[in-house]
Amino acid sequence: MATAAQWISGARLRTLPLALAPVLIGTGAAIGSVGGFTSFIIGDYTQNGHDHSLGQIFLRGVLALIVSLSLQIGSNFANDYSDGIRGTDDERVGPVRLTATGAAEPSTVRRAAFMFFGIAGVVGIALVLISQAWWFLIAGAAAVAAAWFYTGGKKPYGYMGLGEVFVFVFFGLVATLGTMWMQVGGLSISGWAGAIAIGSLASAVLMVNNLRDIPTDIEAGKITLAVKLGDHRSRIAYAALVLVPFALLALAILDGHPAVALAILALVPALNPLQTVLRGTTGRGLIPPIKSTGLTALAFASLTGLGLAL
């Protein structure tokens, strides 16, 4: 029976910044779209004929965060289960794999995945009822399906080089823009820029993770984008995914949010993983860049969200 420490490791907590990041940007964009924090001080926070109090935005943001975190943890357990029963994780480098190591029964890991999907579903429905954004039920169902079929099912898209595409869509566009829409019922250029940026950083985390696993994935028949691109081009792609978000800050600045320039400071934690990846590090040496890239995404999202809200 798996220990509590093994379950925590299996949940892959280092990936959770990627679940927090889009909510931070979406919330910052929502506050910025109704005039920023100043609008709440003077009492003028009306958009499209509707008042949006700070308390309302905060509540919806917390609910969106619970949904995002639950989907991420559920996705991690689903990945553990599906890769484990396929044998893909037999020689994996990195955090504990509950299924592959036999620390937990496959059915138990699968139940854990669906328990977190269930939490995301229940809280998501509550958020929909509060916001009346009924279309989000479809987006939520699609997010759960994307989390499961990444490595689950007969033809997992993660084995066809589409992992980064789906991460970009769901942990970038859907999570960020969905958070903003739930809070204020509208979108902005800054919101779109932030969504694309954090989607790019989330994809960078998966890219460096798959770069590390190229040898074992080839043996297991798992054709990730990194496998398709090869080692050298995967490293170039990773660097592009990390750096493009900083260029996108210009869109938010032009949209009337100069304070997002603060997010340039997130380049500081990005430098070390960039250097590590570009100098050709392999195997376990690529584990720190996975964590550092996730922290870069969190720093970028925190500063961007703050800059949008000011």
Side-chain angles (χ1 to χ4, degrees), residues 87-272:
T88 309
D89 279 345
D90 289 349
E91 303 296 331
R92 183 72 71 203
V93 174
V96 170
R97 265 44 172 198
L98 298 165
T99 306
T101 61
E105 290 294 326
S107 59
T108 303
V109 178
R110 182 179 59 199
R111 282 196 297 271
F114 279 95
M115 179 184 74
F116 280 99
F117 290 153
I119 293 172
V122 170
V123 177
I125 290 172
L127 184 54
V128 167
L129 290 173
I130 292 172
S131 65
Q132 298 293 295
W134 300 105
W135 63 272
F136 201 72
L137 290 174
I138 298 174
V144 171
W148 177 255
F149 289 108
Y150 171 53
T151 55
K154 294 182 179 180
K155 293 184 178 180
Y157 65 84
Y159 283 57
M160 297 185 288
L162 296 174
E164 284 80 0
V165 174
F166 278 77
V167 163
F168 175 82
V169 170
F170 286 98
F171 282 94
L173 303 184
V174 174
T176 306
L177 299 178
T179 296
M180 182 179 182
W181 185 281
M182 286 290 189
Q183 292 170 327
V184 293
L187 302 175
S188 66
I189 293 175
S190 296
W192 276 98
I196 294 170
I198 204 61
S200 180
L201 284 167
S203 296
V205 173
L206 182 57
M207 177 62 75
V208 71
N209 180 81
N210 289 339
L211 171 65
R212 177 199 65 187
D213 294 336
I214 286 178
T216 54
D217 282 342
I218 291 175
E219 290 182 10
K222 183 176 182 180
I223 309 303
T224 63
L225 181 58
V227 170
K228 287 187 173 184
L229 291 176
D231 185 273
H232 177 69
R233 287 189 293 179
S234 293
R235 295 175 191 275
I236 300 301
Y238 166 79
L241 289 169
V242 170
L243 295 174
V244 163
F246 294 95
L248 288 170
L249 292 174
L251 290 178
I253 293 173
L254 293 174
D255 194 38
H257 301 283
V260 296
L262 287 169
I264 290 293
L265 294 174
L267 270 172
V268 175
L271 292 178
N272 188 58

Side-chain angles (χ1 to χ4, degrees), residues 23 27 55-66 127 179 183:
V23 176
T27 299
Q56 171 187 298
I57 289 177
F58 177 76
L59 172 61
R60 297 182 186 189
V62 169
L63 293 176
L65 178 58
I66 295 172
L127 184 54
T179 296
Q183 292 170 327

Side-chain angles (χ1 to χ4, degrees), residues 13-22 69 198 291 294-295 297-298 301:
L13 300 186
R14 60 178 169 73
T15 66
L16 297 191
L18 299 179
L20 174 58
L69 289 172
I198 204 61
K291 179 179 179 180
L295 292 176
L298 181 58

